Amino acid sequence: MALERRAFLQAMFSRPLVAATVEGVLLGDVLSGLYVGLVFELFFLGGASLGGAHPDHDTLPAVSAASMAAAMGISSGADATPAMWALAILICAPFGRSGLWLENRLDKRARKYFGRAVRATDSGELGRAARQNLRAMWPQFVFYGLLCAAAAASGPTLASFVASAPASVLRALTWSYPAMGVAAAAVAVAASHAARKNSIAFLSASVTAAVMVALRLRGEG
Amino acid sequence: MTPSLPFFTLARIAWRSLFIQAGFSPDAMQTLGLLYALQPAWPHLYAEPEAQAAASKRHLTPFNTHPYAAAAMVGGILHYELLLARGEGNAEEIAHFKTTLMGPLAALGDGFFWLSLRPATGAVGVALVPLLGEWAPVAFLVAYNFVHLVARTWLFVEGYELGARVVPRLKELKVPTWSNRLRTVTAAASAGVGAWLTQRFGALTGGESALLAALVCFGLGAVGVWMVEKKVPPLALLYGAAGLAGTASVLW
């Protein structure tokens, strides 16, 4: 996924919704991946690499948080709870900035491969020159893989924190999950650049809320 | 013998163009990727090693465009290289094609794929979570990649066959109109998901207060859009929302 995001294909396997869900499947807690990925997908929806300037890294926080939440659930002996999802999101959200920093560093490092390609072309080794393109990929694979593994490894430590946390902290974390989801949805609406986005968003949210309230009342009735 | 590019070689170049950003660097940008994609063409176009090296050197100048639109650029470069190899064109035509089209194609690709199609399919994918559960990401991938892969193949073929005349063909597609429609979908789907989250997880806040909590979240969403438009950093909004909800849980 680290390679697919930019180096090869860009078929969106590295988008937060997909990458985090896959991470959840791999760790045996698909719901954690799905609901963590959902928030990050909305949060990073408007990010785009334009003219060589990169946006915050969207895959790294999503995969790290999904790993962390799933690992917390596993350590607690059950599926992760919304409080665990929220804690993982809160810890991993800044990784988007760290990922961007790392990405820019790796881009600068890739200059040396271009230098090698120029020298190889000058000496008539055209195949070797072309292959430099593939050599630039491996650092991304190694660095992002290590970071995600570290996030998963931190899960058990955090699980013990959640297990020993007072009920008020757990309650606060549980409440913060939908609040962060709404904040991420607001970021997505603002980033949509749609004409009349505010009225469209208001209409859509009102209709959805009305349908859900109606369904709930019908169920209670 | 007249130089030509066999189908297998064209397919190989199209495959290699998927790696256009693998060796991205701040100065050369996608130049390494372009060099890698074009390399299988040289033995078919130029018999002499010196001519092959000269062709390779022609493409060591900085190159950058949208990675999907690069398919049209790679196809177009092959179109002009083929003309040059047959003695029907010149190297200036190739340089002119690259410099005049890589910018506009980048803008077109960014505007449609990165700022319209991806957000729209992503938001719809998220909106399908309540209905499809863990299959929602699969629906997102299928919808996005159907358009993506068809577009990439079409751009490569049209670029190869038409060269710079691919531009009028692109105009016929009315890309800006589709982009605007997709952006509307993004706004509607994202807001719908926000409302669903407040209802679905607002219930966790406990019995009678659930509806009120959901209404507060609704207001938070509206304020959130306004704050992002006022350049409040999204991370600050995310943490602010969590902080407010956490505080409310203590006071409620």
Side-chain angles (χ1 to χ4, degrees):
Chain A
M1 283 187 275
L3 297 182
E4 194 272 344
R5 182 172 179 272
R6 233 190 59 198
F8 168 69
L9 190 62
Q10 296 95 29
M12 303 303 132
F13 292 103
S14 56
R15 285 301 297 173
L17 182 66
V18 182
T21 306
V22 169
E23 194 71 16
V25 170
L26 292 175
L27 293 172
D29 186 358
V30 66
L31 280 185
S32 288
L34 190 63
Y35 284 104
V36 164
L38 179 156
V39 171
F40 279 120
E41 182 66 44
L42 289 172
F43 189 71
F44 290 113
L45 208 62
S49 189
L50 305 174
H54 308 310
D56 284 358
H57 204 290
D58 40 26
T59 314
L60 188 60
V63 172
S64 306
S67 316
M68 202 178 270
M72 276 191 260
I74 291 164
S75 296
S76 70
D79 281 349
T81 61
M84 292 173 179
W85 304 340
L87 182 62
I89 291 169
L90 284 167
I91 291 171
C92 297
F95 291 2
R97 279 293 153 96
S98 321
L100 170 63
W101 177 82
L102 181 59
E103 196 160 46
N104 286 330
R105 299 284 298 179
L106 291 176
D107 278 357
K108 284 178 186 162
R109 192 178 181 278
R111 282 176 174 147
K112 75 173 183 182
Y113 297 103
F114 182 68
R116 284 180 193 171
V118 172
R119 286 192 293 277
T121 306
D122 285 341
S123 58
E125 298 171 275
L126 303 187
R128 188 166 160 255
R131 279 195 300 277
Q132 299 305 315
N133 188 49
L134 300 182
R135 294 208 173 146
M137 291 199 297
W138 73 264
Q140 297 186 32
F141 181 76
V142 172
F143 281 111
Y144 292 117
L146 284 174
L147 285 169
C148 291
S154 67
T157 313
L158 289 164
S160 60
F161 162 76
V162 171
S164 61
S168 59
V169 173
L170 290 180
R171 187 172 144 90
L173 284 170
T174 303
W175 279 44
S176 68
Y177 176 76
M180 285 193 288
V182 171
V187 173
V189 170
S192 71
H193 302 294
R196 291 175 296 161
K197 60 179 176 288
N198 291 338
S199 46
I200 292 162
F202 180 77
L203 184 68
S204 171
S206 303
V207 169
T208 308
V211 168
M212 291 200 66
V213 169
L215 287 173
R216 183 177 295 170
L217 291 174
R218 205 169 140 193
E220 285 172 2
Chain B
M1 202 174 93
T2 313
S4 65
L5 290 167
F7 176 79
F8 178 74
T9 304
L10 285 172
R12 203 167 155 222
I13 293 168
W15 164 255
R16 283 178 162 226
S17 75
L18 302 178
F19 292 85
I20 197 83
Q21 297 204 123
F24 187 93
S25 63
D27 312 315
M29 291 179 275
Q30 297 167 341
T31 310
L32 263 183
L34 182 67
L35 208 64
Y36 176 72
L38 295 174
Q39 204 259 338
W42 306 142
H44 295 279
L45 296 178
Y46 306 103
E48 299 298 317
E50 293 77 18
Q52 291 178 21
S56 213
K57 279 181 188 170
R58 261 199 297 279
H59 299 287
L60 281 174
T61 52
F63 176 80
N64 194 37
T65 189
H66 187 276
Y68 300 170
M73 293 298 298
V74 171
I77 288 167
L78 292 176
H79 173 90
Y80 290 107
E81 285 285 355
L82 200 56
L83 289 178
L84 178 64
R86 287 174 178 167
E88 298 165 9
N90 56 60
E92 286 73 33
E93 259 183 338
I94 302 169
H96 185 254
F97 171 76
K98 281 172 73 178
T99 50
T100 53
L101 276 194
M102 69 181 176
L105 282 177
L108 189 80
D110 289 340
F112 180 71
F113 289 105
W114 283 177
L115 299 175
S116 305
L117 180 69
R118 187 173 67 185
T121 49
V124 170
V126 168
L128 288 173
V129 167
L131 300 172
L132 301 180
E134 62 265 40
W135 292 101
V138 178
F140 158 62
L141 285 176
V142 170
Y144 182 85
N145 284 309
F146 174 73
V147 181
H148 155 219
L149 294 173
V150 167
R152 229 164 166 165
T153 309
W154 183 84
L155 285 166
F156 181 79
V157 172
E158 293 291 297
Y160 179 66
E161 288 181 352
L162 301 173
R165 283 175 291 130
V166 71
V167 176
R169 294 283 286 129
L170 281 167
K171 277 186 183 165
E172 290 169 18
L173 297 177
K174 296 178 180 165
V175 176
T177 308
W178 285 105
S179 296
N180 288 337
R181 287 176 187 161
L182 288 167
R183 288 170 189 188
T184 304
V185 171
T186 306
S190 304
V193 174
W196 174 76
L197 279 170
T198 63
Q199 297 286 317
R200 166 75 175 79
F201 292 96
L204 292 172
T205 59
E208 291 170 4
S209 62
L211 192 60
L212 190 56
L215 280 172
V216 172
C217 277
F218 200 89
L220 179 71
V223 173
V225 175
W226 178 79
M227 287 174 77
V228 174
E229 284 179 346
K230 293 290 171 193
K231 308 289 178 202
V232 173
L235 260 183
L237 184 66
L238 192 81
Y239 283 115
L244 275 176
T247 309
S249 77
V250 175
L251 300 175
W252 206 296

